[in-house]
Amino acid sequence: CDAMSTVFLKFFSFLGLKGQGQSCAQVLTKDLVKMLFAYRKRCASGTAPTSLTIPPAIKTLPLAVQSAFKLPNLRGTVDQQVAGLLRYLTLPVEEAVAALHPRVVPLLDQPDNVCAPTGVGEHIVVPVPIPPSSGSLGADGVFLVDAGGGPLWLCFGPETPGEIVSELLGPPGAGAARVVDATEGGVAVLSIADQLRRAALRRAYRPVVVGSTDLLAGFMLEDEAAGH
């Protein structure tokens, strides 16, 4: 499914760069339906005609393909959209999947073994990611988001307690918003960010950018607020 999702994302980007952005959603949806029909005909002909049994390997492919149509980099000026499409064309499989299905890591109320060494190189234990849907985000939570290739987003909910924000970013008025390395919470966030960088295929440095959960709306696969 990861490889197929990457193929669809690159094909989507290719059509967009050719100026077929208005019809690429229809083309990709049609190709996806053809592929599922071929599977139904060749591999699942013994099932009921009114049902389609999708194997685990591709069960999330329809959601991944549909999520390509609302990627945040495709909003804004024409230059920003072209830059986004070009970036998607160069992403390896792991980062392309993260662009379609962002890894959302909750940072509050985690087990004691988080940030503990795994015993494999420099890797550490990171919190279990949650689904990238609006229903999974708590109003008082803090999340580290890996959306593939770009920066890592540190997002705060609108009701996140001020003491937590201060522990991670320093006291109000301390300057530009950035994670401090002088508190236990700040060190933990930076350690988890380092682990996400180590797990990526590319070694380019990816900064941690601070924002609010409102920024995540474009990354959500099930944006309940927008009716998706």
Side-chain angles (χ1 to χ4, degrees), residues 6 9-10 86-93 95-96 99 147-150 202:
T6 303
L9 175 61
K10 293 182 181 295
L86 287 172
R87 187 174 73 83
Y88 293 136
L89 276 176
T90 65
L91 292 180
V93 172
E95 294 185 19
R202 296 185 177 185

Side-chain angles (χ1 to χ4, degrees), residues 181-196:
D181 56 4
T183 64
E184 181 179 356
V187 170
V189 171
L190 294 175
S191 298
I192 294 172
D194 285 340
Q195 174 60 35
L196 294 180

Side-chain angles (χ1 to χ4, degrees), residues 90-182:
T90 65
L91 292 180
V93 172
E94 183 178 348
E95 294 185 19
V97 172
L100 293 170
H101 193 281
R103 185 182 297 110
V104 181
V105 179
L107 299 176
L108 301 184
D109 300 324
Q110 293 302 316
D112 294 336
N113 68 334
V114 167
C115 292
T118 63
V120 179
E122 299 180 350
H123 294 281
I124 64 172
V125 176
V126 300
V128 178
I130 60 177
S133 64
S134 56
S136 301
L137 302 179
D140 58 351
V142 181
F143 310 91
L144 192 61
V145 181
D146 178 6
L152 300 173
W153 296 90
L154 178 64
C155 298
F156 295 85
E159 300 178 12
T160 302
E163 57 269 20
I164 293 178
V165 177
S166 296
E167 180 183 3
L168 299 181
L169 304 182
R178 64 182 182 86
V179 181
V180 298
D181 56 4

